[in-house]
């Protein structure tokens, strides 16, 4: 009889065995439906074999129900799933689930029904219905998705369907994407670009694993270079994956792609509608999606014929996933390229130290573009010592920065102010008793947002309107804002330069790709004089009239003693500086700081990247930190503080004593309370060669935990 071992989407259960009924064909990678208790579940066949009838008590194995009409997952992808589960100490099922993230949607026919407003009105127009109809203007999606958008139950919408207010639209998820053309609009590369692109293209042609670090200053034409490699991959009839960090801002990139290849790429990210998700997934599996531009989850799609992976802005912190399977997409991209035997390009103007070290040790090939394309010069960078050049009382912008902004405004040029803090003020207190507004679910202050009139937690999303009186002492109208956020800086600009047109650019204001397009269009049209933004504005934008960048508080990221604080500060400021002077006019950058002699700041001002990386490398080597040593974190959490502490202590008491792994803690985690869970942390610091995953698995496997306790493992954690 035939037996199949399935990985099913329940992380608590290991692989399960089933009987393959006569006449059903399955192979490793087949996606199947199987019974589990009274339910039906989707699973991936991990092993399939013919067993002698004697070996298994056949009656005990339940039969598979169905094979889904999608291509079996290829061996290369299954290897990636296994590697990811193993390296990040995650259940195989949890990784497999990411691969079939559209699992439910893969069942059934290729046609799905969406709904949209028909223009008619219901017989009885209740306030709820009216609100729903207003919210759904211009939307088309499944009933479940529309219910989410309108904030009403599916029942309310079904009522509207019955009355003809919402009309069905059939969506064919198998309709083809237009073909991209490698020769649609071919650029003329300069000689440095030509040289570098030739190297990548020969690797594409060779169909071999080849990791590249494409290291070029901002505006040097890295994108143009890798698009030529994409073109060659297209010509060879193979697929390309381009990973991008911030999906909200890819619109400019998509347009660029369309200009180059005559059609936009296939897009993949977590907020796609189910019909889009299903269409993309099927086209990717069928090999019809030629180029996929996606967020990190696009790494786990079932490409039929992958020929190239590009990770753009490869240093970006957002490639590290921090819930569910805690993987680093940059590292997984390299592994996927290895399993697929294809080249991978990590592109950045400020590479991660880990990536530079890999290049140094000869594992990655470093390709350098030293100059900006087309003769544009890198901006001049200067510091403003805030202890000497003080802003006026109650203000945050120093006189010299303001004077420069005034000049830009007079010349019709644009300025950008960077502060990596959303909202109006990071801390709000009562002027009478000093009460501080804290999140009830997290160890964090509530941040005042004036544009939306609320106090919000940036960790769990908790929000509340600003209260009319202090909850502690009852003083009315008592709130004082402490410190600046981007909204407050925008207010200050409006006061100082009343005629300037100011745009605040954060995830609060750029909430959709459409908003991003609108912002880019307005800036390009010269309808904005001053942009005030968070890290959202540090990358990707190319505004030729933008000639001044002001860093409002360069010291912000250096607080907190985070391992990567210096590197991240360097990258952010270098990236945002790279927005200045990209066209014919030269750019200038002013960095406000209280520590102008700090190594990071001094290196930025001197334009001496090597000095910074060298010092940082030495510090990391000394601390046994990545890439020279390895860190891993074990987080023990519970809604009950004592339960979390006791569980962490009990795990701590059974710690192994090893020569090449030091184990620190348990201690309260940096966010000791997060989303209502108390968190304790054990930190492992290991030699590079240590098998830290095996150590953790052996250590944790015998632990019996109370039902409310959760243990999370974070290999190569980013922040601690
Ligand atoms: P990077 O990705 O390194 O920041 P880009 O590829 O975005 O740089 O290039 C910077 C600017 O120069 C863009 O406006 C781009 O269109 C232009 N550019 C770069 N290379 C070429 C080329 N070979 N021909 C025409 N324009 C180019
Ligand atoms: Zn919170």
């Amino acid at each position: 009889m035939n037996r199949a071992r399935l990985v099913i989407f329940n992380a608590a259960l290991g692989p399960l065995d089933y009987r393959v009924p006569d006449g059903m064909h399955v192979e490793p990678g087949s996606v199947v439906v199987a019974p589990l208790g009274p339910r039906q579940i989707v699973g991936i066949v991990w092993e399939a074999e013919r067993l002698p009838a004697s070996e298994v008590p056949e009656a005990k194995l339940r039969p598979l129900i169905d094979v889904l009409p999608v291509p079996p997952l290829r061996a290369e992808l299954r290897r990636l799933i296994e590697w990811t589960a193993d390296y990040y100490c995650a259940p195989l099922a949890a990784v497999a689930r990411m691969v079939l993230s559209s699992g439910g949607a893969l069942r059934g026919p290729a046609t799905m029904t969406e709904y949209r407003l028909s223009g008619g009105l219901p017989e009885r127009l209740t306030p709820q219905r009216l609100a729903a109809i207003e919210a759904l203007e211009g939307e088309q999606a499944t009933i479940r998705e529309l219910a989410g958008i309108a904030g009403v139950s599916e029942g309310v919408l079904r009522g509207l369907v019955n009355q003809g207010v919402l009309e069905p639209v059939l969506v064919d998820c198998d309709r083809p994407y237009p073909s991209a053309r490698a020769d649609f609009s071919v650029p003329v590369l300069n000689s440095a670009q030509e040289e570098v692109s030739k190297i990548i293209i020969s690797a594409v042609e060779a169909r071999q694993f080849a990791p590249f670090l494409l290291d070029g200053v901002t505006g040097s034409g890295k994108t143009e270079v890798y698009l030529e490699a994409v073109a060659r991959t297209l010509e060879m009839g193979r697929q390309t994956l381009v990973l991008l960090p911030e999906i909200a801002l890819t619109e400019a990139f998509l347009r660029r792609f369309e200009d180059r290849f005559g059609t936009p790429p296939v897009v993949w990210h977590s907020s796609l509608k189910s019909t889009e998700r299903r269409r993309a997934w099927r086209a990717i599996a069928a090999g019809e999606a030629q180029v996929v531009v996606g967020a990190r989850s696009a790494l786990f799609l079932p490409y039929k014929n992958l020929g190239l992976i590009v990770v753009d802005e490869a240093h970006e912190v957002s490639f590290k996933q921090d819930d569910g399977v805690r993987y680093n997409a940059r590292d997984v991209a390299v592994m996927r390229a290895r399993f697929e035997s294809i080249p991978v390009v990590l592109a950045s103007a400020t590479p991660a130290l880990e990536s530079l070290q890999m290049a140094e040790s000869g594992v990655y090939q470093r390709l350098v573009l030293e100059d900006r394309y087309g003769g544009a010069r890198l901006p001049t960078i200067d510091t403003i010592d805030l202890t000497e050049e003080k802003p006026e009382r109650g203000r945050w912008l120093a006189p010299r920065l303001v004077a420069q902004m005034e000049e830009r405004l007079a010349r019709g040029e644009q300025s950008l102010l960077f502060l990596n803090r959303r909202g109006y003020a990071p801390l709000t207190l009562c002027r009478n008793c000093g009460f501080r507004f804290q999140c009830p679910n997290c160890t964090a202050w509530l941040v005042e947002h004036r544009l939306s009139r609320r106090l919000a937690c940036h960790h769990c999303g908790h929000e509340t309107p600003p209260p009319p009186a202090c909850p502690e002492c009852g003083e009315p109208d008592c709130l004082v804002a402490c410190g600046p956020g981007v909204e407050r800086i925008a207010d200050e600009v409006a006061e100082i330069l009343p005629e300037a047109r100011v745009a605040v650019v954060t995830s609060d204001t750029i909430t959709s790709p459409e908003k991003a397009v609108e912002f880019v269009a307005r800036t390009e049209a010269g309808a904005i004089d001053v942009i005030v933004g968070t890290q959202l504005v540090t990358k990707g934008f190319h505004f030729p009239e933008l000639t001044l960048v002001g860093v409002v508080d360069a010291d912000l990221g250096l607080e907190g003693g985070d391992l990567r604080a210096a590197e991240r500060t360097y990258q952010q400021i270098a990236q945002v500086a790279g927005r200045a002077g990209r066209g014919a006019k030269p750019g200038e950058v002013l960095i406000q700081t209280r520590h102008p002699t700090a190594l990071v700041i001094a290196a930025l001002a001197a334009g001496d990247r090597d000095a910074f990386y060298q010092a940082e490398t030495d510090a990391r080597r000394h601390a046994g930190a990545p890439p020279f040593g390895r860190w891993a974190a074990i987080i023990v959490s519970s809604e009950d503080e004592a339960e979390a502490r006791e569980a962490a202590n009990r795990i701590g008491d059974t710690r192994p004593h090893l020569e090449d792994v030091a184990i620190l803690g348990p201690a309260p985690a940096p966010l000791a309370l997060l989303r209502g869970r108390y968190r304790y942390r054990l930190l492992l610091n290991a030699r590079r060669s240590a098998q830290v995953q095996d150590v953790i698995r052996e250590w944790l496997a015998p632990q019996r935990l109370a039902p409310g306790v959760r243990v999370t493992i974070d290999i190569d954690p980013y922040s601690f």
Side-chain angles (χ1 to χ4, degrees), residues 187-190 193 216-226 256 312 369 373 542 579 582:
V188 181
L189 299 184
N190 66 26
Q193 288 177 316
V217 297
T218 53
S220 57
K222 297 183 291 297
T223 312
E224 222 63 49
V225 163
Y226 73 66
R256 202 161 162 186
D312 203 352
L369 293 174
Y373 176 80
H542 181 78
R579 299 310 112 206
R582 293 173 71 94

